């Protein structure tokens, strides 16, 4: 048993010994290379996701969520058998999944806390280290398990499902597809509604590689502005409901009032963040737009594809030009960047990754924005209804240069987007004030603050 505390909540978690859950049936032993989009340095890390579920006596009927999910997991791994394998590193550091059938790590736990005590659940989730325990020896990208799942029963009868995924194997849409399938099998289906498709070779570089785009997203440059540098970093969430979004739209020229919400919010956040960090006027700053490119390929990738299929088109500016620009101009820059993600752009991306030795995406002077709202996390139903919160567990586990859009409903019934961010403490206060200013004084900060 371990005792954990935050500034807002204290509780204890009792964990059982972690076990490996293999596929319920025999599966092929193969060596399956990851794609060249999968196999970039930026994706060689673990990503935590958490889902909170309320008690539902009419559905539970005395069933144990940990047992239900564990049994469904074994069945689902028959379809997603690469997840039960281990990554090996081949020639030139090429990543390959050996489908060993060893299984994924599963942890069963109990916490002496009720769901209501978490309040508006949001990142950074209190005591996430106990709700998604880092089993010793399990975090290695090469050679370690590809998934870790913890089911924690709460005192009130609700439960928490924590998932840690090896990002080299799948993206947000891919793990969302897996989790929806897990819920379907937990509810009694024999086959997931979307059958998984591997087909990683569709995203490989051409031979020889011939990039046709400059790809500044993979150029680190000389910028000194790195958001996760120094001490005193904090993580905080910002909520954009209907009121806030309407205020932001009202500041746009008439021709842009119906723009995509991704473009509007990314432009707003990027300008406010750059201002808050007090970037030198001539410093180059970048926005990387995380784009799900499944439908951008020609032909589109097959339904069920669960590998990384993300483009990172960059918007590049000097800090001075960005903060002085009209927000409408920045919105158009973001829109053009996202529209640039075509079949040829993605082919060029794979070529550039191989030609440049599998580089990291830019971090210095760079802000990554990803929309998680379409990945299905909020639709994962294990038989007790949808989660009250589903999404990233903590942004601080990432490089500190990213924000995510998370579909969110507050305990007061407000629907909108939750956007977590990590910044040095003083810059975070300035970031908050910038957002209050552009939303007409709206109290967009609805979160707890935690040190990172």
């Amino acid at each position: 048993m371990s005792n954990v505390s935050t500034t807002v909540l204290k509780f204890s978690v009792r964990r059982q010994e972690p076990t490996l859950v293999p596929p319920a049936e025999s599966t092929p032993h193969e060596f399956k290379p990851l794609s060249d989009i999968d196999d970039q340095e930026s994706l060689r890390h673990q990503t935590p996701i958490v889902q909170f579920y309320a008690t539902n006596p009419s559905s539970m009927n005395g069933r144990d969520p940990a047992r239900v999910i564990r049994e469904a997991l074994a069945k689902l791994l028959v379809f997603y058998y690469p997840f039960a394998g281990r990554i090996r590193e081949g020639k030139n550091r090429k990543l390959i999944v050996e489908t060993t059938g060893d299984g994924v790590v599963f942890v069963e736990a109990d916490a002496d806390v009720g769901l209501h005590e978490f309040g508006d659940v949001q990142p950074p989730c209190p005591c996430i280290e106990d709700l998604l325990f880092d089993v010793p020896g399990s975090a290695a990208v090469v050679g370690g398990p590809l998934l870790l799942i913890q089911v924690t029963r709460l005192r009130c009868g609700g439960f928490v499902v924590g998932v840690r995924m090896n990002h080299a194997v799948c993206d947000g849409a891919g793990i969302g597809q897996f989790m929806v399938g897990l819920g379907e099998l937990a509810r009694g289906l024999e086959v997931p509604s979307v059958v998984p498709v591997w087909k990683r070779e569709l995203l490989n570089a051409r031979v020889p590689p011939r990039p046709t785009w400059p790809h500044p997203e993979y150029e680190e440059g000389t910028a000194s502005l790195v958001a996760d540098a120094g001490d005193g970093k904090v993580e905080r969430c910002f909520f954009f409901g209907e009121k806030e979004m309407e205020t932001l739209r009202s500041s746009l020229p008439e021709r842009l009032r119906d723009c995509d919400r991704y473009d509007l919010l990314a432009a707003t956040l990027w300008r406010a963040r750059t201002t808050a960090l007090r970037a030198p006027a001539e410093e180059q700053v970048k926005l990387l737009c995380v784009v799900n490119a499944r439908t951008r390929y020609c032909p589109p990738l097959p339904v069920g594809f669960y590998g990384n299929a993300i483009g990172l088109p960059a918007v590049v500016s000097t800090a001075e030009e960005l903060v002085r620009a009209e927000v409408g101009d920045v919105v158009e820059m973001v829109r053009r960047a996202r529209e640039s993600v075509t079949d040829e752009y993605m082919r060029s991306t794979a070529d550039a990754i191989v030609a440049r030795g599998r580089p990291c995406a830019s971090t210095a002077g760079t802000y990554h924005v990803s929309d998680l709202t379409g990945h299905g996390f909020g639709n994962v139903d294990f038989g007790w209804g949808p989660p009250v919160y589903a999404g990233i567990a903590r942004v601080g586990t990432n490089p500190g240069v990213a924000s995510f859009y998370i579909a969110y409903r507050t305990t007061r019934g407000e629907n909108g987007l939750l956007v977590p961010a990590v910044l040095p403490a003083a810059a975070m206060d300035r970031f908050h004030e910038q957002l209050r200013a552009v939303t007409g004084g709206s109290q967009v900060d609805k979160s707890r603050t935690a040190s990172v």
Side-chain angles (χ1 to χ4, degrees), residues 67-132:
R67 179 177 179 179
V68 169
I69 293 171
R70 178 179 178 136
E71 291 176 353
L73 177 61
K75 295 176 182 177
L76 187 63
L77 287 173
V78 175
F79 300 94
Y80 287 90
Y81 66 90
F83 270 135
R86 300 293 183 265
I87 286 183
R88 313 302 184 201
E89 197 170 57
K91 185 179 179 181
N92 297 323
R93 302 181 66 237
K94 178 67 178 178
L95 297 183
I96 301 165
V97 176
E98 181 183 359
T99 60
T100 61
D102 289 341
V104 305
V105 178
F106 189 85
V107 180
E108 184 176 339
D110 294 274
D112 62 349
V113 64
L115 180 62
H116 69 282
E117 296 177 69
F118 288 89
D120 278 336
V121 181
Q122 58 187 243
C125 298
C127 310
I128 188 59
E129 294 80 6
D130 271 350
L131 296 175
L132 185 53

Side-chain angles (χ1 to χ4, degrees), residues 5-158:
S5 66
T6 69
T7 57
V8 294
L9 187 62
K10 296 180 180 180
F11 61 88
S12 298
V13 175
R14 185 177 65 254
R15 292 184 302 274
Q16 298 184 17
E17 286 297 315
T19 59
L20 287 174
V21 176
E25 301 173 12
S26 177
T27 55
H29 182 214
E30 303 167 333
F31 290 86
K32 304 175 79 68
L34 292 177
S35 79
D36 290 323
I37 298 295
D38 291 321
D39 195 3
Q40 50 186 298
E41 193 69 32
S42 309
L43 301 181
R44 294 190 179 201
H45 65 85
Q46 305 282 354
T47 297
I49 298 163
V50 67
Q51 297 164 309
F52 285 75
Y53 291 85
T55 183
N56 188 341
S58 63
S59 297
M60 286 186 169
N61 294 323
R63 294 182 300 154
D64 175 12
R67 179 177 179 179
V68 169
I69 293 171
R70 178 179 178 136
E71 291 176 353
L73 177 61
K75 295 176 182 177
L76 187 63
L77 287 173
V78 175
F79 300 94
Y80 287 90
Y81 66 90
F83 270 135
R86 300 293 183 265
I87 286 183
R88 313 302 184 201
E89 197 170 57
K91 185 179 179 181
N92 297 323
R93 302 181 66 237
K94 178 67 178 178
L95 297 183
I96 301 165
V97 176
E98 181 183 359
T99 60
T100 61
D102 289 341
V104 305
V105 178
F106 189 85
V107 180
E108 184 176 339
D110 294 274
D112 62 349
V113 64
L115 180 62
H116 69 282
E117 296 177 69
F118 288 89
D120 278 336
V121 181
Q122 58 187 243
C125 298
C127 310
I128 188 59
E129 294 80 6
D130 271 350
L131 296 175
L132 185 53
F133 179 61
D134 180 16
V135 175
S138 69
V141 170
V142 176
L146 304 186
L147 285 174
L148 184 153
I149 297 177
Q150 177 172 328
V151 179
T152 305
R153 292 174 290 256
L154 303 179
R155 183 172 56 198
C156 61

Side-chain angles (χ1 to χ4, degrees), residues 352-380:
I353 289 170
V354 171
R356 300 181 189 184
R358 310 191 188 285
C360 275
S362 174
T363 56
T366 305
Y367 185 39
H368 302 227
V369 176
S370 180
D371 186 351
L372 303 183
T373 59
H375 294 343
F377 299 128
N379 300 325
V380 179

